[in-house]
Amino acid sequence: MSDELRVKFWGVRGSYPAPGAGTVKYGGNTASVEVRAGDRTIILDAGTGIIPLGRDLARRRVPEILLLFSHLHHDHTQGFPFFLPAYLPNVRLHIFGPGGTPETLSRVLEHNQSSEIFPVSLREMASSKDIQSVRESQGIVWNEGGVRLAESTVGLGDDALIIRIHKSYAHPGGVYVYRIAWRGKSIVYATDTEGYVGTDRRLVQFAKDTDVLIHDAQYLEAHYRGQLTGFPATQGYGHSTVTMACEVAFAAKAGQLILFHHDPSYSDATIGGMEATAKAQFSEVRAAYEGLEIDLTPDPSPVRREEWKRDVKYANHG
Ligand SMILES: [Zn+2]
Ligand SMILES: [Zn+2]
């Protein structure tokens, strides 16, 4: 198996797609991020960015894909009906996300493709699909035995890819934050979350020492506070400012911070300005753009295995 670990951004916009001349640099597609770990492919959210990603996966003939939903708002699900691998009979999809019962996620996806809304039903998509709502206490493991839910990581081999879940209440209806760990490296995906006074300490704990923190940074400070002409205040909407994202990255000692879920009304120039503001607060920061790739291919030295040990400890002690 290859040692490659890469993160690639296919959709970085929040709320609704934003095509046009003013959004060419960062891109207008809604949330979708690809993580490639060896020969395993994980996708975070199915905004419209998953549509070009799906074409790429079909071209590469990727046979098995793990898709994780942070939550089920439109901008995180709207690309799924156009996700090409879901139509291919030789593709296997494992789809997990939040929900009150194990069936909630499949019910929502079925509804999104009911005949009044979309011409092809979920069942008519030819891929084999394992769809399940998962609880915060459950981990997801992908090792040589395949993809499965697990309550503990004890006894897993060195090559297991482990995903842990943190439920954040800082977004309407709640949202799952995922931590993907493999061979001593990790990525934390924290979209659609709003900062707290004194920083979101539960999130800081969950994201501790991660290599890459992808964090919601939808709003300019003035927009958030209702001081931007023509825009209402957005406090309580469940999204962060650049400063909130930087505070979490700093307190968690993240290796790098990626600003994510850009406001659809913001131009490239505005987002560029937000990136510059962020740089003054946390040096290792970039605003996500479509096509951005981060190479995290692990260093084979044993020192880098700490992340793995930490995950085992977490599982043992809750
Ligand atoms: Zn969103
Ligand atoms: Zn949302």
Side-chain angles (χ1 to χ4, degrees):
M1 176 190 277
S2 126
D3 253 355
E4 179 187 57
L5 178 63
R6 284 174 178 278
V7 185
K8 186 170 180 184
F9 293 80
W10 293 83
V12 301
R13 200 58 68 163
S15 306
Y16 54 86
T23 58
V24 171
K25 184 174 171 195
Y26 294 95
N29 280 306
T30 48
S32 195
V33 179
E34 175 191 15
V35 176
R36 228 192 288 181
D39 56 9
R40 295 162 208 170
T41 298
I42 301 106
I43 302 174
L44 294 154
D45 281 330
T48 59
I50 203 172
I51 302 168
L53 168 56
R55 287 195 291 265
D56 194 59
L57 293 169
R59 186 186 54 76
R60 279 155 39 203
R61 298 180 191 280
V62 174
E64 191 171 14
I65 297 160
L66 171 55
L67 169 59
L68 303 171
F69 286 101
S70 61
H71 62 317
L72 303 175
H73 286 165
H74 261 151
D75 50 328
H76 300 258
T77 60
Q78 63 200 170
F80 187 76
F82 302 98
F83 181 53
L84 184 53
Y87 290 87
L88 305 176
N90 50 351
V91 169
R92 178 142 193 226
L93 298 178
H94 308 271
I95 306 178
F96 299 115
T101 70
E103 295 78 36
T104 305
L105 179 58
S106 55
R107 233 185 28 243
V108 171
L109 295 179
E110 273 162 22
H111 172 77
N112 286 352
Q113 291 181 236
S114 53
S115 59
E116 297 85 354
I117 300 175
F118 196 74
V120 184
S121 73
L122 190 65
R123 215 164 290 173
E124 285 169 319
M125 296 169 117
S127 60
S128 83
K129 289 176 281 303
D130 160 28
I131 307 175
Q132 243 189 95
S133 289
V134 293
R135 294 191 308 274
E136 184 185 7
S137 60
Q138 291 176 306
I140 301 162
V141 170
W142 193 347
N143 62 4
E144 49 298 338
V147 176
R148 64 190 164 83
L149 298 178
E151 304 287 342
S152 151
T153 56
V154 175
L156 291 172
D158 217 22
D159 191 51
L161 182 135
I162 298 170
I163 300 166
R164 287 190 290 122
I165 303 167
H166 162 75
K167 183 168 184 182
S168 164
Y169 297 92
H171 192 70
V175 63
Y176 276 1
V177 175
Y178 292 103
R179 181 171 182 133
I180 301 173
W182 188 61
R183 297 193 175 182
K185 296 276 183 172
S186 73
I187 299 130
V188 172
Y189 179 70
T191 188
D192 295 64
T193 190
E194 184 168 347
Y196 293 128
V197 173
T199 317
D200 185 338
R201 306 315 301 191
R202 287 174 62 239
L203 177 56
V204 167
Q205 181 62 30
F206 184 75
K208 202 88 197 142
D209 298 321
T210 190
D211 296 282
V212 177
L213 171 65
I214 302 164
H215 197 292
D216 190 302
Q218 180 153 347
Y219 299 127
L220 288 163
E221 199 71 36
H223 188 172
Y224 183 82
R225 292 172 184 269
Q227 296 158 344
L228 195 66
T229 313
F231 292 89
T234 58
Q235 192 177 49
Y237 280 24
H239 299 288
S240 291
T241 64
V242 161
T243 299
M244 290 168 182
C246 289
E247 280 173 355
V248 173
F250 181 79
K253 298 190 168 65
Q256 53 177 304
L257 167 65
I258 306 296
L259 306 174
F260 191 70
H261 206 273
H262 307 312
D263 192 275
S265 70
Y266 290 178
S267 67
D268 289 331
T270 302
I271 296 167
M274 291 165 84
E275 195 175 23
T277 304
K279 271 232 154 49
Q281 301 173 53
F282 188 82
S283 59
E284 297 303 315
V285 63
R286 274 181 285 180
Y289 59 86
E290 283 176 29
L292 169 63
E293 258 191 278
I294 300 169
D295 187 354
L296 286 172
T297 304
D299 177 342
S301 81
V303 182
R304 292 299 312 165
R305 299 285 174 178
E306 283 309 305
E307 166 85 20
W308 163 261
K309 288 186 196 134
R310 218 163 61 81
D311 276 342
V312 172
K313 195 161 153 264
Y314 261 98
N316 285 340
H317 302 288

